[in-house]
């Protein structure tokens, strides 16, 4: 009986041990599975929150509704012969990009925006993407250009007055993005498919999020107004310094707006190179920081006012490098009646805009 009892006890103990092991392993697997599911749910929630946050950053203006049909015609596009299941956007595109000299807000004032309210289009570039999105042309429009400013609708109703020989950047100051787009279209005869605006603080934050930008200057820069003091040579600039470089004018020979544009074009190329060199996909936290900075002070037209639409545009530019981007300035000559202002060189400017249609 003792043996039998021993066998019985032994068998019972052995069986209970195996059951305990199986139960422990099952509970461990179940706990790991729950942890994995929890992590996935948490990741999805974080991704959803990030998408909601970034999407909510973007401000937009309905340019198409405001301007209606009184605009240059859109170019006719030919559909691809065999479109893929999830095609990347293609086709030629013209985007008006403005850097706004915002006068309001503490951060913008600290960066040189000034003490008054209101804003001006401190920097204006027409970005033309070719039909295959493999090359781009960036055309800078000097803000001191005298233009025929058209009458523009105002959000509150009514419209601005048309004016001859008006400073180009007064269009934005008087009528905001809608008037800036209408004035550029009147000047160029080219339809602006999209509008993108970034203000002072947003640009500085973006450069900082990218880890700075390396730029070479050919001359010394000593400009108290833009808070920038640099010897000629190569410099790695933080966001505030890069913004000072984009804005500097009085630290250059003759205080020339054209000389400032040359620096801005160098800065555009340098930023493209920095973005290409920064592997954001392997660093989600850095990627979010860059995306938050890029969208945080962004205003677009309603065709680009979501993260999905901006991502689609970015995907279509996947094969574009800094070497594929040509930077030019709209051909101008001094205004005969005001040597401090310029006017478009009629023939050369017309040829340039015709090449972008």
């Amino acid at each position: 009986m003792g043996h039998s009892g021993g066998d019985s006890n032994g068998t019972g103990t052995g069986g209970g041990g195996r059951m305990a092991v199986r139960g422990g392993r099952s509970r461990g697997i179940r706990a790991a599975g729950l942890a994995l599911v929890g992590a996935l749910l948490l990741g999805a929630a974080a991704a959803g929150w990030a998408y909601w946050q970034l999407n909510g950053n973007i401000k937009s203006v309905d340019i198409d509704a405001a301007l209606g049909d009184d605009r240059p015609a859109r170019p006719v596009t030919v559909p691809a012969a065999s479109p893929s299941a999830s095609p990347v956007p293609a086709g030629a595109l013209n985007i008006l990009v403005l850097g706004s000299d915002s006068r309001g807000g503490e951060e913008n004032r600290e960066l040189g925006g000034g003490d008054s309210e209101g804003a001006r289009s401190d920097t204006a570039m027409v970005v033309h993407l070719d039909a295959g999105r493999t090359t781009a042309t960036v055309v800078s429009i000097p803000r001191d250009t005298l233009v025929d400013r058209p009458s523009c609708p105002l959000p509150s109703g009514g419209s601005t007055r048309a004016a001859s020989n008006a400073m180009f950047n007064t269009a934005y100051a008087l009528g905001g993005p809608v008037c800036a787009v209408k004035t550029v279209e009147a000047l160029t005869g080219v339809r602006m498919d999209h509008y993108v605006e970034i203000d002072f603080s947003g640009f500085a934050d973006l450069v900082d999020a990218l880890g700075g930008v390396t730029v070479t200057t050919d001359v010394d820069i000593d400009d108290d107004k833009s808070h920038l003091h640099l010897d000629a040579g190569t410099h790695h600039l933080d966001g505030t310094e890069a913004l000072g470089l984009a804005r500097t004018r009085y630290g250059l020979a003759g205080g020339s707006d054209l000389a400032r544009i040359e620096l801005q074009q160098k800065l555009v190329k340098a930023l493209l190179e920095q973005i290409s060199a920064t592997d954001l996909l392997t660093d989600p936290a850095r990627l979010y920081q860059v995306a938050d900075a890029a969208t945080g002070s962004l205003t677009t037209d309603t065709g680009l006012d979501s993260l999905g639409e901006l991502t689609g545009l970015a995907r279509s530019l996947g094969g574009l490098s800094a070497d594929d981007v040509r930077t030019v300035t709209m051909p101008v000559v001094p205004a005969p009646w005001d040597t401090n202002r310029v006017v478009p060189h009629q023939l050369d400017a017309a040829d340039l805009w015709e090449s972008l249609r």
Side-chain angles (χ1 to χ4, degrees):
M1 288 180 64
H3 178 72
S4 174
D7 285 346
S8 175
N9 289 338
T11 303
T13 304
R18 286 192 295 273
M19 287 177 64
V21 170
R22 283 197 299 270
R25 183 181 297 126
S26 176
R27 284 192 296 273
I29 293 172
R30 188 162 57 247
L34 288 173
L36 177 60
V37 170
L40 291 173
L41 288 175
L42 185 60
W49 177 87
Y51 186 93
W52 174 83
Q53 179 73 19
L54 295 174
N55 217 47
N57 281 346
I58 305 167
K59 300 178 288 291
S60 66
V61 178
D62 195 341
I63 304 287
D64 289 338
L67 295 183
D69 296 328
D70 185 21
R71 306 178 66 185
R74 295 184 188 276
V76 177
T77 57
V78 179
S82 55
S84 61
S86 56
V88 173
L93 211 60
N94 291 302
I95 306 171
L96 176 60
V97 178
L98 293 187
S100 66
D101 179 5
S102 180
R103 316 304 287 179
E106 181 180 351
E107 187 173 4
N108 279 327
R109 284 196 294 271
E110 289 176 354
L111 293 169
D115 298 323
S116 60
E117 293 301 316
R120 301 171 300 180
S121 52
D122 197 53
T123 303
M125 297 178 176
V126 174
V127 178
H128 173 79
L129 305 173
D130 76 342
R133 309 281 174 94
T134 57
T135 62
T137 301
V138 179
V139 184
S140 297
I141 302 175
R143 70 177 189 176
D144 290 346
T145 305
L146 298 179
V147 300
D148 291 333
R149 190 184 66 227
S151 174
C152 304
L154 293 170
S156 57
S159 58
T160 65
R161 288 190 300 174
S164 297
N165 296 320
M167 283 266 289
F168 169 74
N169 68 343
T170 62
Y172 180 93
L174 291 175
V178 170
C179 200
V181 170
K182 187 166 185 178
T183 300
V184 168
E185 291 184 343
L187 172 67
T188 66
V190 178
R191 173 76 170 241
M192 295 297 110
D193 300 291
H194 291 298
Y195 170 84
V196 174
E197 175 191 334
I198 188 166
D199 72 11
F200 272 13
S201 62
F203 178 80
D205 290 344
L206 175 60
V207 173
D208 283 335
L210 287 168
V213 61
T214 301
V215 179
T216 299
T217 65
D218 300 324
V219 296
D220 295 340
I221 299 173
D222 189 16
D223 189 350
D224 290 333
K225 288 183 178 292
S226 64
H227 312 304
L228 188 66
H229 304 277
L230 292 176
D231 294 331
T234 300
H235 303 273
H236 190 75
L237 307 179
D238 64 17
T240 300
E241 293 166 333
L243 178 61
L245 186 70
R247 297 183 61 241
T248 192
R249 174 175 183 173
Y250 299 102
L252 303 173
S256 168
D257 191 35
L258 299 179
R260 177 175 64 170
I261 284 174
E262 290 183 15
L263 285 177
Q264 290 174 346
Q265 291 171 346
K266 283 187 176 183
L267 187 55
V268 167
K269 286 289 192 79
L271 275 173
L272 290 174
E273 290 170 355
Q274 180 67 22
I275 291 170
S276 298
T278 306
D279 190 4
L280 297 175
L281 294 181
T282 62
D283 189 346
R286 182 90 171 274
L287 175 61
Y288 176 81
Q289 185 182 9
V290 170
D292 190 42
T295 58
S297 296
L298 201 66
T299 301
T300 71
D301 67 287
T302 49
L304 282 180
D305 64 351
S306 74
L307 200 58
E309 288 162 331
L310 287 172
T311 301
L313 176 61
R315 285 177 59 226
S316 77
L317 304 179
L320 192 68
S321 70
D323 292 335
D324 300 319
V325 179
R326 178 174 67 116
T327 56
V328 298
T329 301
M330 180 182 73
V332 294
V333 294
W337 56 91
D338 187 346
T339 56
N340 293 319
R341 302 287 180 258
V342 296
V343 293
H345 185 291
Q346 292 298 329
L347 292 178
D348 291 347
D351 287 344
L352 173 61
W353 299 126
E354 179 62 32
S355 72
L356 304 188
R357 292 192 181 100

